[in-house]
Amino acid sequence: MRKRKPAANLDNECQQSGLTSKRKRLDDGPQGSEGIQDLFQSIDVTATSSSFIGAHQVDAPDVLHEEAQRNRNLFLLDVFCGTAGVAAAFQSLGGEALGIDHLVDKRRVKGPVAKVDLSKKAGQDTVIKWIQERKIDGVMLAPPCGTSSRAREIPLPKKLRWRCGMQPEPLRSDTWPNGFPHLKGIAQLKVKAANKLYDFTRRVIQACMDANIPFICENPRRSLMWKTDAFSCLPEGCFFQNVHACMYGSKRRKSTAFLMNFHAENLKKECDNSHEHLPWGMVDTKDGAGLKFSTSLETE
């Protein structure tokens, strides 16, 4: 069995953290859209995803350990990866992973990540092709929830509105989940851009279902994203599992929903009220960045 080769870069702007310093840097591959399409051409996929889907109850990390011990190189694609924390965790369990996102913060990245704009057709179509050709074994999706956040509905005290410069306006509602019809300018552009990514996410979910590849799509439990047209009709076999972040190390009782096509008992923990929680609202950050919404501090 040939060992997987490190993935080439997508836009010649790849970064990786110390967690993968022994791997070849992701900066030797082809550039531009041609590079995107050629990214996985040299990868042998030796593991199948049926072990994730076939059982009624599956603990994904245990399966990963088992497959890794059999010298199988499971490969995870971490879409909208942020700091690539999921990709890094997957690697720590013995798998291979690549995160992709449109912004890459070199100071905070934790795993291998490539910078690519997934609002572009070339990038979207290539990801779908990878899934259809089973070049990857699992997909993690965390679409941006900024325009769909319920936190926009919370009015700020006057003194904070003055200090922050403005009151974030709601851009969607339960009645208008795809965006208010009166939106104009930057607000309208933001909603349209987010909806485009939601539509892409839905395409990825369908491709995973068709190829029998496990996926997780994550967003806040009350995110208006779940009410958009993109998620109005989900494939049979998809379901939600919910957790509270405070049961996984967070200081706040953030409720998160995972849309999945496999069962994971370790992703069902909800608050047992055995600990205290930090409050929501605006907080002063220690990094000198000033006031931030506490929701933004709970994104990982």
Side-chain angles (χ1 to χ4, degrees):
M1 181 185 70
R2 286 193 299 152
K3 186 177 181 181
R4 286 186 186 274
K5 296 180 180 180
N9 77 333
L10 297 184
D11 284 326
N12 199 32
E13 299 182 48
C14 298
Q15 305 294 333
Q16 67 177 21
S17 70
L19 290 172
T20 56
S21 59
K22 293 182 180 180
R23 292 168 57 107
K24 183 180 179 181
R25 289 191 61 83
L26 305 177
D27 56 8
D28 299 328
Q31 302 179 15
S33 59
E34 294 81 5
I36 297 174
Q37 295 171 8
D38 293 340
L39 180 57
F40 280 99
Q41 292 302 313
S42 62
I43 294 177
D44 282 340
V45 178
T46 59
T48 65
S49 303
S50 58
S51 58
F52 284 90
I53 305 293
H56 292 292
Q57 299 291 331
V58 175
D59 189 314
D62 288 346
V63 172
L64 179 57
H65 277 305
E66 180 180 347
E67 296 292 349
Q69 290 171 359
R70 293 176 183 173
N71 206 27
R72 293 175 179 264
N73 292 328
L74 288 170
F75 198 98
L76 174 76
L77 189 64
D78 187 6
V79 185
F80 311 116
C81 66
T83 61
V86 172
F90 199 86
Q91 282 189 321
S92 72
L93 293 170
E96 301 272 351
L98 175 68
I100 53 178
D101 213 329
H102 74 297
L103 292 176
V104 177
D105 187 340
K106 300 178 182 179
R107 299 166 300 176
R108 299 179 61 229
V109 68
K110 301 173 182 176
V113 54
K115 181 179 178 180
V116 62
D117 185 354
L118 286 172
S119 67
K120 301 292 181 61
K121 185 178 186 300
Q124 291 189 6
D125 289 349
T126 302
V127 170
I128 298 298
K129 183 179 179 181
W130 294 341
I131 296 171
Q132 291 173 340
E133 296 181 354
R134 299 184 63 84
K135 294 182 182 293
I136 54 182
D137 302 293
V139 179
M140 177 69 193
L141 297 143
C145 62
T147 66
S148 298
S149 175
R150 300 276 187 174
R152 288 180 170 273
E153 301 171 358
I154 303 173
L156 294 179
K158 186 175 181 180
K159 63 179 181 180
L160 291 182
R161 290 201 302 271
W162 173 82
R163 183 174 172 184
C164 297
M166 65 176 292
Q167 164 73 50
E169 62 173 328
L171 303 177
R172 310 173 189 264
S173 70
D174 290 303
T175 305
W176 299 97
N178 297 308
F180 290 121
H182 64 262
L183 294 178
K184 295 180 180 179
I186 293 178
Q188 184 183 56
L189 292 175
K190 284 183 177 180
V191 169
K192 285 185 175 181
N195 287 346
K196 193 172 185 178
L197 296 178
Y198 296 164
D199 289 339
F200 166 64
T201 299
R202 179 62 177 81
R203 288 180 62 204
V204 171
I205 290 172
Q206 187 64 58
C208 287
M209 295 299 295
D210 293 342
N212 200 36
I213 289 175
F215 77 86
I216 298 176
C217 180
E218 177 269 335
N219 237 239
R221 190 170 184 175
R222 297 184 67 243
S223 171
L224 289 165
M225 182 193 79
W226 302 121
K227 295 180 176 290
T228 62
D229 286 348
F231 292 87
S232 62
C233 185
L234 295 171
E236 184 178 356
C238 294
F239 53 88
F240 286 94
Q241 291 187 184
N242 301 308
V243 302
H244 282 131
C246 57
M247 298 298 291
Y248 297 85
S250 173
K251 300 299 183 182
R252 292 180 174 86
R253 192 178 182 271
K254 179 188 177 184
S255 186
T256 297
F258 296 109
L259 177 64
M260 309 166 64
N261 62 348
F262 68 98
H263 291 275
E265 288 299 317
N266 58 329
L267 291 179
K268 291 183 178 180
K269 295 180 181 179
E270 296 190 273
C271 185
D272 58 8
N273 296 311
S274 64
H275 46 264
E276 296 182 355
H277 303 107
L278 291 178
W280 296 103
M282 299 292 293
V283 295
D284 265 314
T285 58
K286 297 179 180 180
D287 59 5
L291 282 173
K292 284 186 178 182
F293 282 102
S294 55
T295 49
S296 69
L297 304 178
E298 302 296 327
T299 55
E300 293 192 48

